[in-house]
Amino acid sequence: MFESALVNLYTCDIEAGIRFYRDLLGFVETFRTPTEGVPEHVELRLGGFALGLGTVEAARRAHGVTAAPGRPAMALVVWTRDVDEAFARLAAASVPTVRDPHDSGDGNRNALLRDPDGNLVELVAKVG
C-alpha cells in the first residue's frame, strides 16, 4: 500500500536550507520544483533517508497550511562517525549551536545545532 516516505521541513529561506543540508551535511539533491529559478520544494537524500524542504509560501498556497519553522516539535537526527569533529566544522561555518557535544548514555555522543530556520538538528555517534 505505502511505498516510501520523507520528512518535509518548511522553510522561510529555501536556498539557505539547501546550502545547509547539501553543502554542510552532505545531502544529495534529488528533485526540485520549479527547475528554474528559486525552488519552492526540494528533495534531498542522505543514505536511505529522504528530506524535503518546502517554502512556507508553497505550504500556504498548495495545502492551506500555516507553517512555523523552527519550533522544537521535532529534531532531525543525523548520524556521524565523530560528533566532536562534525560539530566543530559546523560551528566554524557559523551554524547556530544549541548544546555542545556530550555523552548522552546508551553509548551515544550527541550535540544539537539549528538549521537556517531554527529547526533542531541532532548529531549522534556511537562511542566506545
Side-chain angles (χ1 to χ4, degrees), residues 37-90:
V38 177
E40 61 180 24
H41 180 80
V42 172
E43 292 178 9
L44 306 113
R45 285 195 163 277
L46 183 65
F49 179 74
L51 173 70
L53 297 176
T55 64
V56 293
E57 295 84 3
R60 188 174 12 262
R61 180 185 45 73
H63 307 297
V65 171
T66 301
R71 300 205 175 190
M74 55 79 67
L76 175 64
V77 176
V78 180
W79 287 86
T80 181
R81 290 191 171 115
D82 186 336
V83 166
D84 294 85
E85 185 278 327
F87 182 86
R89 185 174 55 81
L90 293 167

Side-chain angles (χ1 to χ4, degrees), residues 6-14 17 20-21 25 27 40-44 49-56 58-59 67-71 73-78 114-121:
L6 66 86
V7 171
N8 196 50
L9 295 178
Y10 293 114
T11 177
C12 294
D13 184 345
I14 196 162
F20 177 78
Y21 287 102
L25 295 185
F27 280 71
E40 61 180 24
H41 180 80
V42 172
E43 292 178 9
L44 306 113
F49 179 74
L51 173 70
L53 297 176
T55 64
V56 293
R71 300 205 175 190
M74 55 79 67
L76 175 64
V77 176
V78 180
R114 291 199 183 272
D115 76 3
D117 285 293
N119 296 303
L120 288 174
V121 176

